[in-house]
């Protein structure tokens, strides 16, 4: 700004000089130069020059005053800095969670369906699909799209609250990441000190699976491993016993909208292109597919910063006793995670035991068994007496977008290739795996990161790290953060409340979003992406959908106190 003022002043001064000499007469008599100036010229020059001189004087006068003010402000800021530093030191001594302000700003971008289409216009040709009538093959009050932990929870909660409910799933089984990926722990974080709701549907699913003989204890804490294949039966039991109407092998490909309200979806299946009408829709797709199709805005992390995808696999013919003896003699702790991911922790996690394999693959690289560029490493969890090691979460791949079909194709094939390398390394380096062989892959990749809606409220890292409380709470979740190189385990009894607002997209009404794609930033996503958190948002969404129908209001107008009463009736802890 000051440079602009100086430039303008110089131009005015130059113009004044030019105008002065142009309108003056100059004569040379007796070795003297005489300049005759008329009154108009003097007045014009005065109008130009005097404001300029006043401006210069004012500038230097203000600079002098500002220097004095700056010195005082610097002293005050220095004093405040030392006060804040002392407070942080006291907080650390007393164990209060510290807020982390990162110097690197987030690179997440906000998109919607139109922005994607506009981008496609620059890269692709189009085919004009002919309009046609689509048969409506089902109608319901609440339609839940996606049958994973959040979807099962939403469907059960809606039905228990009295709504006629359909649960729609693209695969041939319910269970989502548990059954289709092979990730067998709804929650693996339950070390001593964990506080969570004991009456939610997530806990209920684990208890019923245990009663039906479909669980194995997770190593080193009180969490349970679910038998992925057996959980398909558990999920069938939960859905049918509740009276939810199941639809499998059916993919939602488009939405039906009226006046910015969702009224159903268009599906594709072996039965063709068919419609389902619904008064309320809950998006439990994991990738906010329905919200995206409806035109809702969402955040998306750049691909090179996204959490990775995993090809989960299982091995058979493992010597359980020999392997467990090896892990006892070579214990791994969460401090070992930092070798691979440079984890940020609160410090209290570092000494805890973890079922982790990392150094073993470094040894395999040194022996030339696998490529030195390999990034294989991760966790094991369930071991059976039959010699099966399931839920081997060792093949973690980055720089893939779960909403890009080309990336998904490449990652699926790359993951299977990496799995063979992982098994080869295990056979040569890890006692107990000498005769191991591939038992199976998960049905699909395990995704962690894609779209996160922009909601009426967007959760933050401060919320999940500092025991946030909300008037519209729909449940609680432990202070468990796992992602973006942050690992905090809930060993001190800390937890935060989950607000209803993070389920509500801004643009479309009667649509609720549950699961890992709820509204929030990267750090809150590292908490909310976990399956147990997904069951909290799913149950809250299902209850809210049903109560809004009873009230005859939209999902954004529903009385949150009535929703909370229903959740309490279903056994949920809100505060």
């Amino acid at each position: 700004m000051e440079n602009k003022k100086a430039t303008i002043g110089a131009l005015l001064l130059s113009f004044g000089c030019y105008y002065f000499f142009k309108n003056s007469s100059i004569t040379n008599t007796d070795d003297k130069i005489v300049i005759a100036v008329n009154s108009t010229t003097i007045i014009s020059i005065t109008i130009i020059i005097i404001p300029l001189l006043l401006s210069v004087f004012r500038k230097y006068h203000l600079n002098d005053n500002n220097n004095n003010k700056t010195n005082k402000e610097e002293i005050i800021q220095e004093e405040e800095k030392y006060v804040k530093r002392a407070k942080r030191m006291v907080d650390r001594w007393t164990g209060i969670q510290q807020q982390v302000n990162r110097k690197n700003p987030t690179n997440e971008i906000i998109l919607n369906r139109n922005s994607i289409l506009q981008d496609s216009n620059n890269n692709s040709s189009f085919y004009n699909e002919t309009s046609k009538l689509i048969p409506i093959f089902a109608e319901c009050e609440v339609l839940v799209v996606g049958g994973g932990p959040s979807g099962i929870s939403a469907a059960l909660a809606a039905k228990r609250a009295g709504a006629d409910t359909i649960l729609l799933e693209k695969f041939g089984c319910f269970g989502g990441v548990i059954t289709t990926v092979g990730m067998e722990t709804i929650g693996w974080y339950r070390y001593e000190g964990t506080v969570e709701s004991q009456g939610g549907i997530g806990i209920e699913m684990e208890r019923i699976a245990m009663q039906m003989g479909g669980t194995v204890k997770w190593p080193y804490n009180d969490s349970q491993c679910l038998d992925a294949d057996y959980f398909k039966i558990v999920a069938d039991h939960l859905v049918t016993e509740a009276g939810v109407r199941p639809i499998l092998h059916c993919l939602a490909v488009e939405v039906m909208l009226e006046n910015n309200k969702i009224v159903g979806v268009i599906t594709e299946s072996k039965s063709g292109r068919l419609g389902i009408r619904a008064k309320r829709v809950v998006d439990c797709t994991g990738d906010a597919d329905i919200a995206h199709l409806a035109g809702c805005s969402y955040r998306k992390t750049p691909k090179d910063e996204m959490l990775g995808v995993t090809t989960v696999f299982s091995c058979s013919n493992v010597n359980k006793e020999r392997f467990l003896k090896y892990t006892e003699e070579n214990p791994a702790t969460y401090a070992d995670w930092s070798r691979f991911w440079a984890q940020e922790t609160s410090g209290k996690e570092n000494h805890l035991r973890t079922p982790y394999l990392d150094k073993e693959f470094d040894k395999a690289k040194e022996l030339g068994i696998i490529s030195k560029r390999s990034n294989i490493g991760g966790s094991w969890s369930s071991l059976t007496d039959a010699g099966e090691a399931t839920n081997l979460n060792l093949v973690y791949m980055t720089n893939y977008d779960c909403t890009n079909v080309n990336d998904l194709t490449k990652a699926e094939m790359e993951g299977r290739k990496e799995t063979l390398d992982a098994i080869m390394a295990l056979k040569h380096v890890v006692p107990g795996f000498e005769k191991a062989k591939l038992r199976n892959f998960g049905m699909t990749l395990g995704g962690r990161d894609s779209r996160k809606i922009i909601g009426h409220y967007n959760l933050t890292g401060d919320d999940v790290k500092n025991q946030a409380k909300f008037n519209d709470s729909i449940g609680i979740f432990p202070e468990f953060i796992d992602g973006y190189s942050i690992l905090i385990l809930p060993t001190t009894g800390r937890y935060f409340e989950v607000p209803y607002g993070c389920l509500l997209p801004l643009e479309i009404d009667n649509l609720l979003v549950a699961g890992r794609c709820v509204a929030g930033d990267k750090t809150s996503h590292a908490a909310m992406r976990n399956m147990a958190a997904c069951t909290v948002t799913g149950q809250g969404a299902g209850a809210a959908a049903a109560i809004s129908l009873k009230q005859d209001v939209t999902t954004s107008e529903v009385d949150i106190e009535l929703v909370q009463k229903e959740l309490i009736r279903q056994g949920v802890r809100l505060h």
Side-chain angles (χ1 to χ4, degrees), residues 253-516:
V253 296
E254 190 52 89
V255 294
M256 298 190 290
L257 300 174
E258 293 178 4
N259 300 320
N260 285 334
K261 293 184 179 69
I262 193 165
V263 295
V265 301
I266 308 298
T267 68
E268 292 278 6
S269 68
K270 289 292 185 179
S271 297
R273 191 173 178 89
L274 302 169
I276 301 177
R277 284 196 179 276
K279 296 177 181 178
R280 304 290 183 269
V281 177
V282 184
D283 183 346
C284 295
T285 61
D287 297 314
D289 290 335
I290 305 304
H292 163 66
L293 292 171
C296 299
S297 53
Y298 53 86
R299 301 177 192 275
K300 203 171 182 187
T301 304
K303 187 163 68 172
D304 59 350
E305 297 179 22
M306 283 182 174
L307 298 174
V309 299
T310 293
T311 297
V312 176
F313 66 97
S314 303
C315 283
S316 59
N317 211 27
V318 175
N319 187 318
K320 178 180 177 180
E321 290 74 20
R322 184 168 165 77
F323 174 68
L324 290 178
K325 182 175 183 292
Y326 168 78
T327 59
E328 288 302 312
E329 293 172 349
N330 299 272
T333 67
Y334 288 101
D336 293 317
W337 285 31
S338 297
R339 297 179 64 252
F340 197 73
W341 281 292
Q343 294 283 125
E344 170 202 327
T345 71
S346 63
K348 58 185 172 53
E349 296 83 7
N350 292 346
H351 72 284
L352 295 173
R353 289 285 303 274
T354 175
Y356 186 69
L357 297 172
D358 179 9
K359 300 172 185 176
E360 292 77 9
F361 295 103
D362 285 344
K363 184 176 180 180
K365 292 176 189 178
E366 294 172 3
L367 295 173
I369 297 168
I370 58 176
S371 169
K372 292 188 180 296
R373 293 176 295 177
S374 172
N375 289 321
I376 299 171
S379 63
W380 55 275
S381 60
S382 178
L383 296 168
T384 70
D385 293 334
E388 297 166 317
T390 60
N391 191 12
L392 291 169
N393 185 4
L394 301 172
V395 178
Y396 179 85
M397 301 171 289
T398 57
N399 209 31
Y400 289 107
D401 182 351
C402 293
T403 64
N404 183 301
V405 68
N406 288 325
D407 278 5
L408 289 172
T409 301
K410 184 178 178 182
E412 289 278 11
M413 299 176 73
E414 179 66 20
R416 288 190 281 270
K417 176 179 175 295
E418 288 282 303
T419 296
L420 295 183
D421 288 345
I423 295 173
M424 184 66 68
L426 290 169
K427 287 167 68 73
H428 282 81
V429 174
V430 179
F433 272 82
E434 294 89 347
K435 298 180 180 180
K437 64 178 183 178
L438 177 67
R439 176 177 176 262
N440 70 284
F441 294 106
M443 293 161 58
T444 188
L445 286 167
R448 295 172 173 84
D449 193 355
S450 56
R451 307 181 186 104
K452 283 92 76 175
I453 65 162
I454 307 299
H456 284 226
Y457 183 82
N458 299 284
L459 275 166
T460 68
D462 286 343
D463 291 333
V464 302
K465 285 184 175 182
N466 291 294
Q467 302 189 98
K469 296 182 181 298
F470 299 96
N471 292 330
D472 62 343
S473 172
I474 55 170
I476 66 169
F477 188 67
E479 186 186 58
F480 173 49
I481 304 171
D482 176 23
Y484 304 109
S485 296
I486 304 172
L487 176 67
I488 297 177
L489 294 172
T491 57
T492 56
R494 293 164 63 92
Y495 61 88
F496 62 94
E497 296 174 2
V498 179
Y500 177 61
C502 73
L503 314 184
L504 287 168
L506 291 178
E507 297 86 351
I508 303 297
D509 218 338
N510 291 339
L511 172 65
L512 293 168
V513 177
R516 73 166 186 251

Side-chain angles (χ1 to χ4, degrees), residues 1-9 55 58-59 62-63:
M1 181 60 73
E2 295 301 331
N3 290 337
K4 290 182 179 178
K5 289 180 179 178
T7 302
I8 293 171
S55 175
R58 181 172 176 274
K59 174 184 175 184
L62 288 175
N63 282 346

Side-chain angles (χ1 to χ4, degrees), residues 50-114:
I50 289 178
L52 181 63
L53 293 174
L54 289 173
S55 175
V56 171
F57 172 77
R58 181 172 176 274
K59 174 184 175 184
Y60 283 104
H61 179 68
L62 288 175
N63 282 346
D64 188 52
N65 288 338
N66 286 339
N67 286 336
N68 292 332
K69 290 180 180 178
T70 300
N71 290 335
K72 292 179 180 178
E73 289 174 355
E74 287 177 351
I75 293 171
I76 293 172
Q77 289 174 358
E78 192 70 18
E79 291 175 350
E80 290 178 347
K81 183 174 72 173
Y82 284 111
V83 170
K84 290 178 180 178
R85 185 179 297 172
K87 183 179 183 304
R88 286 198 301 270
M89 186 179 297
V90 172
D91 285 348
R92 282 198 300 270
W93 289 342
T94 56
I96 297 176
Q97 183 72 49
Q98 301 295 299
Q99 178 179 348
V100 179
N101 294 318
R102 299 188 183 280
K103 294 181 180 179
N104 298 324
T106 178
N107 292 322
E108 289 186 312
I109 53 177
I110 298 177
L111 302 166
N112 60 30
R113 185 178 187 178
N114 291 332

